[in-house]
Amino acid sequence: MSRVVIETKNMTKKFGSFTAVDNVSMQIEEGTIYGFLGPNGSGKTTTMKVLCGLLAATSGEGLVLGMNLARSSQEIKNQVGYMSQKFSLYPDLTARENLEFYAGLYGLSEEEKAVRIPEMLELAGLTGREDTMTSVLTGGWRQRLALGCAIVHKPKILFLDEPTSGVDPKARRLFWDIIYGLSADGTTIMVTTHFMDEAEHCDKVAFIYFGKLIADDIPAALKKKIPGRLYEIQASSGMELLAEIQDGALGIPLIDSYFYGDKLHVIIEGDRELKREGLLSDAEIEEIEPSMEDVFAYLVKSESGKAMEGGRISGAGSSQIKSRAREAKA
């Protein structure tokens, strides 16, 4: 069994009266690619920054590589890598100069720099272009250079905060090939993303919602959390059809219904079957297995219902998740 390299118990982070991270307990094993998903403002980035030692938790406990977050934040910083959403590169420096700067921050010797900087330039696809100003690099190159800066010191744990946001599909695939390689070599990777296809390929996936961890498991187990049967419907008048379905026109107990690209997804209770008749006589209907997007939407909607029942205010709900997922598929 792999050893646990990140463990938190009731970890909480507050900013004044606002609770950004709410009693989060998790375990991440060595070499795992751990996907961390949630709506904007749900606490993903704050959780990462606490685990990196960049922010102090308000309460609770945390261990990273066996070191206590409250007492060993500097030691933790030296043994982890962090790549922020903004790709923290200096645009007025060249690719090589950025790598030299970060290598210096992490205390690499001249001998270590002589080995690692060329390796990181190769990883970024910038061998022969090391003197190019970072400001003129394309998004994919900047992304891989930022990753090179984050791992130049060979960290045991790598934190990636929405690293593929804003880059083209080819650059995303190349980036994930690098992530898989790092994981295969034993690096533990925690990554936030709103691309559901990326979440599918993580070893474990956790969902955070308004600071609370609402699910944490392997993708196959998470998909089993959706009850009933899931159908995909292709129809010419999708908006009208969705409105009628949500008004109960199917006459079948309905768990949820929503757009998935240009199609509709409908989850019905129990073993009831959705047939191509009546309202759906002209539609194409197929029973399908849930995707991670379906899981995400279902869990967030369920949590929103609990929040409303408990008197808490719910803002970003499943509609926001579906909107972000639609954006990701565009």
Side-chain angles (χ1 to χ4, degrees):
M1 181 177 178
S2 299
R3 72 182 182 114
V4 173
V5 292
I6 296 176
E7 182 173 13
T8 68
K9 293 180 181 178
N10 302 317
M11 186 176 77
T12 298
K13 177 61 181 178
K14 294 185 177 183
F15 296 95
S17 61
F18 174 69
T19 302
V21 180
D22 193 355
N23 286 296
V24 167
S25 297
M26 64 169 66
Q27 288 188 338
I28 304 178
E29 295 181 349
E30 187 174 27
T32 297
I33 300 176
Y34 189 87
F36 201 48
L37 285 74
N40 287 339
S42 60
K44 302 187 302 296
T45 297
T46 302
T47 300
M48 261 194 182
K49 287 185 175 180
V50 172
L51 293 175
C52 287
L54 297 174
L55 289 174
T58 305
S59 61
E61 301 175 6
L63 294 175
V64 175
L65 295 169
M67 294 178 285
N68 188 288
L69 279 169
R71 296 191 296 269
S72 306
S73 62
Q74 187 57 52
E75 291 87 343
I76 289 170
K77 289 177 191 175
N78 293 336
Q79 295 195 46
V80 303
Y82 174 60
M83 181 176 163
S84 71
Q85 294 179 25
K86 301 298 183 181
F87 303 166
S88 302
L89 299 172
Y90 291 90
D92 54 344
L93 297 181
T94 66
R96 178 186 293 278
E97 287 169 342
N98 265 290
L99 285 165
E100 288 175 342
F101 175 77
Y102 279 96
L105 283 182
Y106 288 117
L108 269 65
S109 67
E110 293 302 318
E111 292 77 12
E112 290 170 324
K113 290 179 185 178
V115 174
R116 289 297 286 169
I117 288 176
E119 288 178 348
M120 296 302 95
L121 287 167
E122 183 177 356
L123 174 140
L126 289 169
T127 301
R129 303 191 61 175
E130 52 268 21
D131 294 324
T132 302
M133 297 299 291
T134 303
S135 59
V136 303
L137 295 176
T138 65
W141 270 328
R142 283 199 305 271
Q143 171 206 53
R144 282 179 284 163
L145 177 59
L147 177 62
C149 291
I151 64 172
V152 68
H153 59 307
K154 295 186 178 180
K156 296 177 181 178
I157 301 176
L158 178 60
F159 295 94
L160 303 173
D161 195 2
E162 296 204 6
T164 58
S165 179
V167 298
D168 62 71
K170 181 179 179 181
R172 282 208 291 138
R173 287 193 297 271
L174 288 171
F175 191 85
W176 273 85
D177 285 342
I178 297 170
I179 290 177
Y180 296 141
L182 291 169
S183 175
D185 288 339
T187 304
T188 305
I189 299 165
M190 184 179 188
V191 56
T192 69
T193 179
H194 65 267
F195 292 106
M196 296 298 111
D197 59 325
E198 293 182 351
E200 295 271 1
H201 299 295
C202 294
D203 299 310
K204 290 188 72 176
V205 175
F207 295 112
I208 188 170
Y209 184 66
F210 281 99
K212 288 186 173 293
L213 201 67
I214 61 174
D216 177 9
D217 213 328
I218 62 173
L222 289 171
K223 291 176 182 180
K224 292 180 181 178
K225 289 183 176 291
I226 294 184
R229 302 171 74 170
L230 173 63
Y231 287 88
E232 187 169 80
I233 302 172
Q234 176 77 63
S236 56
S237 54
M239 289 293 293
E240 292 82 356
L241 179 59
L242 179 62
E244 292 187 62
I245 288 173
Q246 292 180 341
D247 285 340
L250 291 178
I252 297 175
L254 186 69
I255 294 174
D256 201 4
S257 57
Y258 47 89
F259 272 106
Y260 189 98
D262 61 347
K263 300 177 182 178
L264 298 181
H265 277 195
V266 174
I267 307 173
I268 59 176
E269 289 184 3
D271 293 327
R272 301 290 292 272
E273 185 177 354
L274 195 60
K275 297 181 179 180
R276 192 171 171 272
E277 58 185 29
L279 179 67
L280 303 175
S281 58
D282 296 326
E284 296 179 19
I285 302 173
E286 180 184 4
E287 185 174 3
I288 61 172
E289 292 294 319
S291 68
M292 289 305 295
E293 180 184 335
D294 294 306
V295 175
F296 203 177
Y298 172 75
L299 289 173
V300 168
K301 183 173 182 178
S302 298
E303 191 65 22
S304 295
K306 293 176 187 176
M308 293 179 71
E309 289 172 10
R312 289 192 285 125
I313 297 174
S314 293
S318 60
S319 61
Q320 180 181 345
I321 297 302
K322 295 163 193 171
S323 172
R324 291 297 301 276
R326 296 286 78 72
E327 173 190 327
K329 292 168 73 73

